[in-house]
């Protein structure tokens, strides 16, 4: 059973601070990694994808991947109240284009 | 551009009643299609996926079934709903872009 683990939170950060969200996965052969944001009562929306070791930046968001440690993280700089949501880590299983395994998500609260 | 439509947005059904949720994708051909369920406060559970017309893979034994009668249509069904079928049902699609895009979801409450 492929697993994706996340701390459920809530992770509380003050407005303007950096939020750091972490995820570990069990399938060592996984090649594709995604971060989704889900507001309460809404469907998940893709915010970042990462395929290679290292960092990938997009605006205030930075995804980090370490395949040796089987670890993915998402940094949100200058956190805003509108960033308050649940962040889902998702991993595409190796050897198939057909399965994406999600973590249970980390709830982020950005406080004023 | 590609869009995904899922309906209805909310549904309240009595125990033992049938269910039919529909999902369609526009602007792409031969997408991979998925049904997920998200129970309250829990993660996304993959229920079914399809890589082509008539091709359905089931991930968990359950009271539900899925069908793909057309290339861009995916239907989730049940003959008799159980209380445990309550949840947030999400349809998603993927293709060459590599990531999954979700529909708006259906919140199902079985009473």
């Amino acid at each position: 059973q492929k697993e994706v683990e996340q701390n459920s939170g809530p992770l509380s950060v003050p407005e303007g601070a950096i939020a750091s969200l972490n995820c570990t996965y069990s399938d060592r052969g996984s090649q594709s990694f995604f971060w989704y944001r889900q507001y309460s009562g809404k469907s998940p929306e893709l915010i970042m994808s990462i395929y290679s070791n290292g960092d990938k930046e997009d605006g205030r968001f930075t995804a980090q991947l370490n395949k040796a440690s089987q670890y993915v993280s998402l940094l949100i700089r200058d956190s805003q109240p509108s960033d308050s949501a649940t962040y889902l880590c998702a991993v595409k299983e190796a050897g198939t284009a057909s399965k994406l395994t999600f973590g249970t998500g980390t709830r982020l609260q950005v406080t004023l | 551009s590609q869009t995904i439509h899922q309906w209805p947005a909310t549904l309240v059904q009595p125990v033992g009643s049938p269910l039919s949720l529909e999902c369609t994708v526009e602007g792409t051909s031969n997408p991979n299609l998925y049904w997920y369920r998200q129970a309250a406060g829990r993660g996304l559970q993959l229920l079914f996926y399809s890589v082509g017309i008539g091709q359905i893979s089931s991930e968990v034994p359950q009271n539900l079934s899925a069908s793909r009668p057309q290339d861009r249509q995916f239907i989730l069904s049940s003959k008799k709903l159980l209380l445990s079928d309550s949840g947030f049902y999400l349809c998603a699609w993927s293709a060459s872009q590599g990531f999954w895009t979700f529909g708006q979801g259906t919140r199902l409450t079985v009473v």
Side-chain angles (χ1 to χ4, degrees), chain A residues 34 36 38 41-46 49 51 88 92 96-104, chain B residues 32 34 36 38 43-44 46 49 51 59 88 90 94 97-104 107:
Chain A
F34 307 92
Y36 284 81
Q38 185 176 25
K42 303 295 185 182
S43 63
E45 56 179 335
L46 180 74
S49 60
Y51 307 99
L88 304 172
K92 188 183 292 184
T96 175
S98 307
K99 291 189 181 181
L100 193 63
T101 302
F102 286 83
T104 54
Chain B
N32 294 332
Y34 310 86
Y36 286 87
Q38 188 175 37
L44 290 166
L46 179 62
Y49 70 93
V51 299
E59 286 297 295
F88 191 41
L90 289 155
S94 72
Q97 85 279 22
F99 55 85
W100 276 228
T101 300
F102 288 87
Q104 67 172 10
R107 187 158 306 281

mmCIF file of all heavy atoms in Angstrom, chain A residues 34 36 38 41-46 49 51 88 92 96-104, chain B residues 32 34 36 38 43-44 46 49 51 59 88 90 94 97-104 107:
data_model
loop_
_atom_site.group_PDB
_atom_site.id
_atom_site.type_symbol
_atom_site.label_atom_id
_atom_site.label_comp_id
_atom_site.label_asym_id
_atom_site.label_seq_id
_atom_site.Cartn_x
_atom_site.Cartn_y
_atom_site.Cartn_z
ATOM 1 N N PHE A 34 2.904 16.648 -6.329
ATOM 2 C CA PHE A 34 2.021 17.793 -6.494
ATOM 3 C C PHE A 34 1.561 18.314 -5.139
ATOM 4 O O PHE A 34 1.412 17.548 -4.181
ATOM 5 C CB PHE A 34 0.779 17.381 -7.305
ATOM 6 C CG PHE A 34 1.112 16.706 -8.614
ATOM 7 C CD1 PHE A 34 1.230 15.328 -8.690
ATOM 8 C CD2 PHE A 34 1.297 17.445 -9.758
ATOM 9 C CE1 PHE A 34 1.541 14.697 -9.876
ATOM 10 C CE2 PHE A 34 1.615 16.830 -10.965
ATOM 11 C CZ PHE A 34 1.737 15.450 -11.020
ATOM 12 N N TYR A 36 -1.709 20.490 -3.701
ATOM 13 C CA TYR A 36 -3.035 21.031 -3.969
ATOM 14 C C TYR A 36 -3.486 21.826 -2.747
ATOM 15 O O TYR A 36 -3.189 21.471 -1.606
ATOM 16 C CB TYR A 36 -4.044 19.911 -4.229
ATOM 17 C CG TYR A 36 -3.951 19.276 -5.584
ATOM 18 C CD1 TYR A 36 -2.993 18.295 -5.865
ATOM 19 C CD2 TYR A 36 -4.828 19.643 -6.606
ATOM 20 C CE1 TYR A 36 -2.911 17.720 -7.116
ATOM 21 C CE2 TYR A 36 -4.760 19.057 -7.862
ATOM 22 C CZ TYR A 36 -3.797 18.106 -8.104
ATOM 23 O OH TYR A 36 -3.724 17.523 -9.354
ATOM 24 N N GLN A 38 -6.952 23.196 -0.818
ATOM 25 C CA GLN A 38 -8.388 22.941 -0.738
ATOM 26 C C GLN A 38 -8.996 23.845 0.328
ATOM 27 O O GLN A 38 -8.724 23.677 1.518
ATOM 28 C CB GLN A 38 -8.667 21.464 -0.414
ATOM 29 C CG GLN A 38 -10.140 21.122 -0.446
ATOM 30 C CD GLN A 38 -10.425 19.642 -0.226
ATOM 31 O OE1 GLN A 38 -9.631 18.929 0.380
ATOM 32 N NE2 GLN A 38 -11.552 19.170 -0.721
ATOM 33 N N GLY A 41 -14.992 23.075 1.978
ATOM 34 C CA GLY A 41 -16.182 22.879 1.164
ATOM 35 C C GLY A 41 -15.957 22.953 -0.334
ATOM 36 O O GLY A 41 -16.902 22.821 -1.111
ATOM 37 N N LYS A 42 -14.709 23.162 -0.747
ATOM 38 C CA LYS A 42 -14.398 23.281 -2.170
ATOM 39 C C LYS A 42 -13.542 22.117 -2.638
ATOM 40 O O LYS A 42 -13.046 21.327 -1.836
ATOM 41 C CB LYS A 42 -13.658 24.601 -2.443
ATOM 42 C CG LYS A 42 -14.429 25.836 -1.997
ATOM 43 C CD LYS A 42 -15.703 26.007 -2.777
ATOM 44 C CE LYS A 42 -16.394 27.305 -2.417
ATOM 45 N NZ LYS A 42 -17.683 27.463 -3.157
ATOM 46 N N SER A 43 -13.353 22.012 -3.944
ATOM 47 C CA SER A 43 -12.519 20.952 -4.481
ATOM 48 C C SER A 43 -11.054 21.389 -4.488
ATOM 49 O O SER A 43 -10.753 22.587 -4.471
ATOM 50 C CB SER A 43 -12.993 20.588 -5.892
ATOM 51 O OG SER A 43 -12.849 21.689 -6.758
ATOM 52 N N PRO A 44 -10.134 20.438 -4.514
ATOM 53 C CA PRO A 44 -8.706 20.789 -4.528
ATOM 54 C C PRO A 44 -8.301 21.476 -5.823
ATOM 55 O O PRO A 44 -8.828 21.154 -6.895
ATOM 56 C CB PRO A 44 -8.010 19.422 -4.401
ATOM 57 C CG PRO A 44 -9.047 18.499 -3.869
ATOM 58 C CD PRO A 44 -10.339 18.982 -4.410
ATOM 59 N N GLU A 45 -7.368 22.401 -5.716
ATOM 60 C CA GLU A 45 -6.820 23.062 -6.890
ATOM 61 C C GLU A 45 -5.303 22.955 -6.853
ATOM 62 O O GLU A 45 -4.672 23.110 -5.806
ATOM 63 C CB GLU A 45 -7.258 24.526 -6.957
ATOM 64 C CG GLU A 45 -6.912 25.337 -5.729
ATOM 65 C CD GLU A 45 -7.329 26.795 -5.842
ATOM 66 O OE1 GLU A 45 -7.439 27.315 -6.960
ATOM 67 O OE2 GLU A 45 -7.539 27.412 -4.777
ATOM 68 N N LEU A 46 -4.718 22.698 -8.010
ATOM 69 C CA LEU A 46 -3.275 22.520 -8.104
ATOM 70 C C LEU A 46 -2.563 23.852 -7.909
ATOM 71 O O LEU A 46 -2.921 24.856 -8.507
ATOM 72 C CB LEU A 46 -2.911 21.951 -9.477
ATOM 73 C CG LEU A 46 -1.426 21.720 -9.714
ATOM 74 C CD1 LEU A 46 -0.961 20.500 -8.927
ATOM 75 C CD2 LEU A 46 -1.159 21.527 -11.201
ATOM 76 N N SER A 49 3.696 21.721 -8.944
ATOM 77 C CA SER A 49 4.139 20.382 -9.293
ATOM 78 C C SER A 49 5.663 20.392 -9.289
ATOM 79 O O SER A 49 6.287 21.419 -9.562
ATOM 80 C CB SER A 49 3.622 19.973 -10.668
ATOM 81 O OG SER A 49 4.090 20.872 -11.656
ATOM 82 N N TYR A 51 9.165 17.633 -10.161
ATOM 83 C CA TYR A 51 9.547 16.336 -10.694
ATOM 84 C C TYR A 51 11.019 16.000 -10.428
ATOM 85 O O TYR A 51 11.409 14.839 -10.505
ATOM 86 C CB TYR A 51 9.290 16.293 -12.198
ATOM 87 C CG TYR A 51 7.888 16.677 -12.572
ATOM 88 C CD1 TYR A 51 7.598 17.967 -13.026
ATOM 89 C CD2 TYR A 51 6.842 15.770 -12.471
ATOM 90 C CE1 TYR A 51 6.304 18.331 -13.357
ATOM 91 C CE2 TYR A 51 5.544 16.127 -12.809
ATOM 92 C CZ TYR A 51 5.280 17.412 -13.251
ATOM 93 O OH TYR A 51 4.002 17.769 -13.574
ATOM 94 N N LEU A 88 -2.869 19.644 0.375
ATOM 95 C CA LEU A 88 -2.767 18.216 0.114
ATOM 96 C C LEU A 88 -1.520 17.921 -0.699
ATOM 97 O O LEU A 88 -1.302 18.533 -1.749
ATOM 98 C CB LEU A 88 -3.994 17.722 -0.666
ATOM 99 C CG LEU A 88 -5.360 17.980 -0.037
ATOM 100 C CD1 LEU A 88 -6.462 17.614 -1.022
ATOM 101 C CD2 LEU A 88 -5.521 17.168 1.240
ATOM 102 N N LYS A 92 2.392 10.670 -7.616
ATOM 103 C CA LYS A 92 2.003 9.755 -8.681
ATOM 104 C C LYS A 92 2.823 8.485 -8.560
ATOM 105 O O LYS A 92 4.047 8.521 -8.493
ATOM 106 C CB LYS A 92 2.220 10.372 -10.051
ATOM 107 C CG LYS A 92 1.664 9.540 -11.203
ATOM 108 C CD LYS A 92 1.959 10.142 -12.540
ATOM 109 C CE LYS A 92 1.229 11.429 -12.777
ATOM 110 N NZ LYS A 92 1.467 11.957 -14.147
ATOM 111 N N THR A 96 3.014 3.866 -13.524
ATOM 112 C CA THR A 96 1.650 4.027 -14.004
ATOM 113 C C THR A 96 1.327 5.499 -14.174
ATOM 114 O O THR A 96 1.819 6.337 -13.428
ATOM 115 C CB THR A 96 0.628 3.393 -13.036
ATOM 116 O OG1 THR A 96 -0.689 3.694 -13.501
ATOM 117 C CG2 THR A 96 0.793 3.945 -11.639
ATOM 118 N N ALA A 97 0.531 5.780 -15.188
ATOM 119 C CA ALA A 97 0.088 7.160 -15.362
ATOM 120 C C ALA A 97 -1.281 7.364 -14.745
ATOM 121 O O ALA A 97 -1.888 8.409 -14.910
ATOM 122 C CB ALA A 97 0.025 7.486 -16.852
ATOM 123 N N SER A 98 -1.737 6.356 -14.020
ATOM 124 C CA SER A 98 -3.143 6.333 -13.668
ATOM 125 C C SER A 98 -3.482 6.496 -12.205
ATOM 126 O O SER A 98 -4.653 6.495 -11.873
ATOM 127 C CB SER A 98 -3.755 5.012 -14.162
ATOM 128 O OG SER A 98 -3.493 4.819 -15.514
ATOM 129 N N LYS A 99 -2.515 6.620 -11.345
ATOM 130 C CA LYS A 99 -2.867 6.706 -9.931
ATOM 131 C C LYS A 99 -2.110 7.823 -9.241
ATOM 132 O O LYS A 99 -0.902 7.947 -9.363
ATOM 133 C CB LYS A 99 -2.561 5.385 -9.223
ATOM 134 C CG LYS A 99 -3.451 4.234 -9.621
ATOM 135 C CD LYS A 99 -3.219 3.039 -8.720
ATOM 136 C CE LYS A 99 -4.090 1.879 -9.126
ATOM 137 N NZ LYS A 99 -3.888 0.710 -8.234
ATOM 138 N N LEU A 100 -2.880 8.615 -8.517
ATOM 139 C CA LEU A 100 -2.319 9.698 -7.719
ATOM 140 C C LEU A 100 -2.758 9.459 -6.295
ATOM 141 O O LEU A 100 -3.965 9.381 -6.024
ATOM 142 C CB LEU A 100 -2.835 11.040 -8.238
ATOM 143 C CG LEU A 100 -2.153 12.310 -7.756
ATOM 144 C CD1 LEU A 100 -0.696 12.348 -8.191
ATOM 145 C CD2 LEU A 100 -2.880 13.534 -8.297
ATOM 146 N N THR A 101 -1.802 9.311 -5.393
ATOM 147 C CA THR A 101 -2.119 9.049 -3.989
ATOM 148 C C THR A 101 -1.977 10.343 -3.204
ATOM 149 O O THR A 101 -0.961 11.026 -3.292
ATOM 150 C CB THR A 101 -1.186 7.975 -3.403
ATOM 151 O OG1 THR A 101 -1.319 6.782 -4.174
ATOM 152 C CG2 THR A 101 -1.551 7.676 -1.958
ATOM 153 N N PHE A 102 -3.014 10.651 -2.416
ATOM 154 C CA PHE A 102 -3.032 11.893 -1.653
ATOM 155 C C PHE A 102 -2.744 11.639 -0.177
ATOM 156 O O PHE A 102 -3.158 10.615 0.386
ATOM 157 C CB PHE A 102 -4.414 12.548 -1.766
ATOM 158 C CG PHE A 102 -4.677 13.191 -3.088
ATOM 159 C CD1 PHE A 102 -5.121 12.445 -4.159
ATOM 160 C CD2 PHE A 102 -4.482 14.554 -3.254
ATOM 161 C CE1 PHE A 102 -5.360 13.037 -5.388
ATOM 162 C CE2 PHE A 102 -4.724 15.164 -4.471
ATOM 163 C CZ PHE A 102 -5.159 14.399 -5.537
ATOM 164 N N GLY A 103 -2.070 12.591 0.438
ATOM 165 C CA GLY A 103 -2.003 12.627 1.890
ATOM 166 C C GLY A 103 -3.319 13.154 2.435
ATOM 167 O O GLY A 103 -4.188 13.612 1.684
ATOM 168 N N THR A 104 -3.452 13.110 3.747
ATOM 169 C CA THR A 104 -4.698 13.568 4.374
ATOM 170 C C THR A 104 -4.762 15.083 4.499
ATOM 171 O O THR A 104 -5.808 15.625 4.839
ATOM 172 C CB THR A 104 -4.881 12.936 5.754
ATOM 173 O OG1 THR A 104 -3.719 13.195 6.533
ATOM 174 C CG2 THR A 104 -5.094 11.433 5.635
ATOM 175 N N ASN B 32 -7.801 10.399 -18.786
ATOM 176 C CA ASN B 32 -7.996 9.486 -17.664
ATOM 177 C C ASN B 32 -9.006 10.150 -16.730
ATOM 178 O O ASN B 32 -8.917 11.353 -16.460
ATOM 179 C CB ASN B 32 -6.690 9.245 -16.915
ATOM 180 C CG ASN B 32 -5.675 8.505 -17.752
ATOM 181 O OD1 ASN B 32 -6.016 7.740 -18.649
ATOM 182 N ND2 ASN B 32 -4.406 8.751 -17.482
ATOM 183 N N TYR B 34 -11.374 9.927 -13.008
ATOM 184 C CA TYR B 34 -11.285 9.394 -11.646
ATOM 185 C C TYR B 34 -12.499 9.823 -10.823
ATOM 186 O O TYR B 34 -13.016 10.928 -11.005
ATOM 187 C CB TYR B 34 -10.035 9.922 -10.939
ATOM 188 C CG TYR B 34 -8.768 9.773 -11.726
ATOM 189 C CD1 TYR B 34 -8.393 10.732 -12.653
ATOM 190 C CD2 TYR B 34 -7.954 8.662 -11.553
ATOM 191 C CE1 TYR B 34 -7.241 10.595 -13.405
ATOM 192 C CE2 TYR B 34 -6.787 8.519 -12.300
ATOM 193 C CZ TYR B 34 -6.445 9.490 -13.219
ATOM 194 O OH TYR B 34 -5.300 9.343 -13.952
ATOM 195 N N TYR B 36 -13.167 10.196 -6.719
ATOM 196 C CA TYR B 36 -12.640 10.169 -5.362
ATOM 197 C C TYR B 36 -13.771 10.456 -4.386
ATOM 198 O O TYR B 36 -14.744 11.129 -4.719
ATOM 199 C CB TYR B 36 -11.566 11.248 -5.160
ATOM 200 C CG TYR B 36 -10.239 10.979 -5.803
ATOM 201 C CD1 TYR B 36 -10.001 11.341 -7.120
ATOM 202 C CD2 TYR B 36 -9.203 10.392 -5.090
ATOM 203 C CE1 TYR B 36 -8.770 11.119 -7.715
ATOM 204 C CE2 TYR B 36 -7.960 10.166 -5.671
ATOM 205 C CZ TYR B 36 -7.761 10.534 -6.981
ATOM 206 O OH TYR B 36 -6.532 10.309 -7.553
ATOM 207 N N GLN B 38 -14.196 11.945 -0.324
ATOM 208 C CA GLN B 38 -13.531 12.559 0.810
ATOM 209 C C GLN B 38 -14.527 12.597 1.956
ATOM 210 O O GLN B 38 -15.502 13.351 1.915
ATOM 211 C CB GLN B 38 -13.048 13.961 0.466
ATOM 212 C CG GLN B 38 -12.178 14.601 1.534
ATOM 213 C CD GLN B 38 -11.639 15.949 1.064
ATOM 214 O OE1 GLN B 38 -12.319 16.700 0.381
ATOM 215 N NE2 GLN B 38 -10.396 16.248 1.426
ATOM 216 N N GLY B 43 -8.788 12.300 4.143
ATOM 217 C CA GLY B 43 -8.142 12.488 2.854
ATOM 218 C C GLY B 43 -8.981 12.002 1.696
ATOM 219 O O GLY B 43 -10.106 11.513 1.860
ATOM 220 N N LEU B 44 -8.435 12.124 0.521
ATOM 221 C CA LEU B 44 -9.098 11.696 -0.702
ATOM 222 C C LEU B 44 -8.880 10.207 -0.928
ATOM 223 O O LEU B 44 -7.743 9.743 -0.972
ATOM 224 C CB LEU B 44 -8.554 12.478 -1.894
ATOM 225 C CG LEU B 44 -8.931 13.946 -1.957
ATOM 226 C CD1 LEU B 44 -8.074 14.667 -2.970
ATOM 227 C CD2 LEU B 44 -10.394 14.102 -2.307
ATOM 228 N N LEU B 46 -9.373 7.178 -3.526
ATOM 229 C CA LEU B 46 -9.669 6.847 -4.914
ATOM 230 C C LEU B 46 -10.666 5.701 -4.958
ATOM 231 O O LEU B 46 -10.441 4.648 -4.363
ATOM 232 C CB LEU B 46 -8.386 6.462 -5.655
ATOM 233 C CG LEU B 46 -8.544 6.054 -7.120
ATOM 234 C CD1 LEU B 46 -9.097 7.214 -7.952
ATOM 235 C CD2 LEU B 46 -7.216 5.574 -7.686
ATOM 236 N N TYR B 49 -11.103 4.474 -11.409
ATOM 237 C CA TYR B 49 -10.473 5.246 -12.460
ATOM 238 C C TYR B 49 -10.664 4.540 -13.786
ATOM 239 O O TYR B 49 -10.910 3.326 -13.841
ATOM 240 C CB TYR B 49 -9.004 5.537 -12.157
ATOM 241 C CG TYR B 49 -8.065 4.358 -12.221
ATOM 242 C CD1 TYR B 49 -7.368 4.049 -13.393
ATOM 243 C CD2 TYR B 49 -7.829 3.584 -11.089
ATOM 244 C CE1 TYR B 49 -6.484 2.991 -13.437
ATOM 245 C CE2 TYR B 49 -6.944 2.530 -11.127
ATOM 246 C CZ TYR B 49 -6.263 2.232 -12.299
ATOM 247 O OH TYR B 49 -5.387 1.179 -12.337
ATOM 248 N N VAL B 51 -9.198 4.567 -17.971
ATOM 249 C CA VAL B 51 -8.250 5.051 -18.970
ATOM 250 C C VAL B 51 -8.857 5.048 -20.365
ATOM 251 O O VAL B 51 -8.179 5.425 -21.332
ATOM 252 C CB VAL B 51 -6.942 4.242 -18.941
ATOM 253 C CG1 VAL B 51 -6.265 4.377 -17.572
ATOM 254 C CG2 VAL B 51 -7.208 2.781 -19.257
ATOM 255 N N GLU B 59 -10.946 0.545 -6.965
ATOM 256 C CA GLU B 59 -9.877 0.554 -5.970
ATOM 257 C C GLU B 59 -10.285 -0.059 -4.640
ATOM 258 O O GLU B 59 -9.457 -0.593 -3.920
ATOM 259 C CB GLU B 59 -9.393 1.994 -5.733
ATOM 260 C CG GLU B 59 -8.568 2.521 -6.872
ATOM 261 C CD GLU B 59 -7.291 1.736 -7.056
ATOM 262 O OE1 GLU B 59 -6.435 1.755 -6.155
ATOM 263 O OE2 GLU B 59 -7.145 1.086 -8.106
ATOM 264 N N PHE B 88 -18.014 13.745 0.313
ATOM 265 C CA PHE B 88 -17.773 14.709 -0.750
ATOM 266 C C PHE B 88 -17.159 13.928 -1.911
ATOM 267 O O PHE B 88 -16.056 13.393 -1.805
ATOM 268 C CB PHE B 88 -16.829 15.791 -0.225
ATOM 269 C CG PHE B 88 -16.672 16.993 -1.104
ATOM 270 C CD1 PHE B 88 -17.764 17.547 -1.755
ATOM 271 C CD2 PHE B 88 -15.445 17.607 -1.262
ATOM 272 C CE1 PHE B 88 -17.629 18.689 -2.548
ATOM 273 C CE2 PHE B 88 -15.296 18.741 -2.050
ATOM 274 C CZ PHE B 88 -16.385 19.282 -2.696
ATOM 275 N N LEU B 90 -15.669 13.631 -5.645
ATOM 276 C CA LEU B 90 -14.927 14.465 -6.583
ATOM 277 C C LEU B 90 -14.580 13.672 -7.833
ATOM 278 O O LEU B 90 -14.034 12.575 -7.751
ATOM 279 C CB LEU B 90 -13.643 14.970 -5.927
ATOM 280 C CG LEU B 90 -13.836 16.011 -4.828
ATOM 281 C CD1 LEU B 90 -12.675 16.002 -3.866
ATOM 282 C CD2 LEU B 90 -14.004 17.396 -5.445
ATOM 283 N N SER B 94 -7.108 13.596 -15.956
ATOM 284 C CA SER B 94 -5.701 13.852 -16.240
ATOM 285 C C SER B 94 -5.416 13.401 -17.662
ATOM 286 O O SER B 94 -6.136 12.587 -18.235
ATOM 287 C CB SER B 94 -4.773 13.127 -15.254
ATOM 288 O OG SER B 94 -4.760 11.738 -15.505
ATOM 289 N N GLN B 97 -0.836 16.472 -19.563
ATOM 290 C CA GLN B 97 -0.291 17.516 -18.684
ATOM 291 C C GLN B 97 0.236 16.947 -17.378
ATOM 292 O O GLN B 97 0.986 17.600 -16.660
ATOM 293 C CB GLN B 97 -1.351 18.596 -18.401
ATOM 294 C CG GLN B 97 -2.310 18.312 -17.263
ATOM 295 C CD GLN B 97 -3.448 17.404 -17.644
ATOM 296 O OE1 GLN B 97 -3.364 16.657 -18.605
ATOM 297 N NE2 GLN B 97 -4.534 17.436 -16.901
ATOM 298 N N GLY B 98 -0.172 15.723 -17.073
ATOM 299 C CA GLY B 98 0.421 15.008 -15.943
ATOM 300 C C GLY B 98 -0.211 15.227 -14.600
ATOM 301 O O GLY B 98 0.021 14.469 -13.678
ATOM 302 N N PHE B 99 -0.986 16.293 -14.426
ATOM 303 C CA PHE B 99 -1.588 16.520 -13.125
ATOM 304 C C PHE B 99 -3.096 16.304 -13.225
ATOM 305 O O PHE B 99 -3.661 16.219 -14.303
ATOM 306 C CB PHE B 99 -1.261 17.924 -12.602
ATOM 307 C CG PHE B 99 -1.644 19.039 -13.536
ATOM 308 C CD1 PHE B 99 -2.929 19.563 -13.541
ATOM 309 C CD2 PHE B 99 -0.710 19.567 -14.406
ATOM 310 C CE1 PHE B 99 -3.285 20.583 -14.398
ATOM 311 C CE2 PHE B 99 -1.038 20.598 -15.268
ATOM 312 C CZ PHE B 99 -2.338 21.103 -15.268
ATOM 313 N N TRP B 100 -3.698 16.204 -12.085
ATOM 314 C CA TRP B 100 -5.135 15.963 -12.007
ATOM 315 C C TRP B 100 -5.874 17.303 -11.828
ATOM 316 O O TRP B 100 -5.435 18.157 -11.044
ATOM 317 C CB TRP B 100 -5.449 15.109 -10.782
ATOM 318 C CG TRP B 100 -5.323 13.625 -10.877
ATOM 319 C CD1 TRP B 100 -6.245 12.713 -10.453
ATOM 320 C CD2 TRP B 100 -4.220 12.837 -11.371
ATOM 321 N NE1 TRP B 100 -5.792 11.427 -10.661
ATOM 322 C CE2 TRP B 100 -4.558 11.464 -11.218
ATOM 323 C CE3 TRP B 100 -2.980 13.142 -11.953
ATOM 324 C CZ2 TRP B 100 -3.717 10.419 -11.602
ATOM 325 C CZ3 TRP B 100 -2.134 12.113 -12.340
ATOM 326 C CH2 TRP B 100 -2.505 10.777 -12.167
ATOM 327 N N THR B 101 -6.987 17.452 -12.528
ATOM 328 C CA THR B 101 -7.856 18.608 -12.347
ATOM 329 C C THR B 101 -9.211 18.117 -11.855
ATOM 330 O O THR B 101 -9.778 17.186 -12.432
ATOM 331 C CB THR B 101 -8.026 19.381 -13.667
ATOM 332 O OG1 THR B 101 -6.740 19.825 -14.122
ATOM 333 C CG2 THR B 101 -8.927 20.593 -13.463
ATOM 334 N N PHE B 102 -9.701 18.766 -10.817
ATOM 335 C CA PHE B 102 -10.928 18.310 -10.169
ATOM 336 C C PHE B 102 -12.142 19.115 -10.593
ATOM 337 O O PHE B 102 -12.044 20.313 -10.895
ATOM 338 C CB PHE B 102 -10.785 18.417 -8.650
ATOM 339 C CG PHE B 102 -9.861 17.406 -8.059
ATOM 340 C CD1 PHE B 102 -8.503 17.649 -7.970
ATOM 341 C CD2 PHE B 102 -10.352 16.181 -7.603
ATOM 342 C CE1 PHE B 102 -7.640 16.700 -7.437
ATOM 343 C CE2 PHE B 102 -9.499 15.236 -7.065
ATOM 344 C CZ PHE B 102 -8.149 15.494 -6.987
ATOM 345 N N GLY B 103 -13.289 18.439 -10.575
ATOM 346 C CA GLY B 103 -14.564 19.120 -10.706
ATOM 347 C C GLY B 103 -14.927 19.788 -9.398
ATOM 348 O O GLY B 103 -14.194 19.701 -8.407
ATOM 349 N N GLN B 104 -16.079 20.449 -9.373
ATOM 350 C CA GLN B 104 -16.473 21.211 -8.195
ATOM 351 C C GLN B 104 -16.894 20.335 -7.022
ATOM 352 O O GLN B 104 -16.957 20.797 -5.885
ATOM 353 C CB GLN B 104 -17.626 22.157 -8.531
ATOM 354 C CG GLN B 104 -18.926 21.450 -8.867
ATOM 355 C CD GLN B 104 -20.092 22.418 -9.010
ATOM 356 O OE1 GLN B 104 -19.926 23.613 -9.033
ATOM 357 N NE2 GLN B 104 -21.313 21.878 -9.091
ATOM 358 N N ARG B 107 -21.552 17.153 -2.734
ATOM 359 C CA ARG B 107 -21.664 16.795 -1.317
ATOM 360 C C ARG B 107 -22.908 15.949 -1.141
ATOM 361 O O ARG B 107 -24.032 16.437 -1.335
ATOM 362 C CB ARG B 107 -21.742 18.036 -0.439
ATOM 363 C CG ARG B 107 -21.695 17.684 1.057
ATOM 364 C CD ARG B 107 -21.236 18.843 1.912
ATOM 365 N NE ARG B 107 -19.974 19.406 1.496
ATOM 366 C CZ ARG B 107 -18.784 18.887 1.774
ATOM 367 N NH1 ARG B 107 -18.699 17.772 2.472
ATOM 368 N NH2 ARG B 107 -17.679 19.479 1.385
#
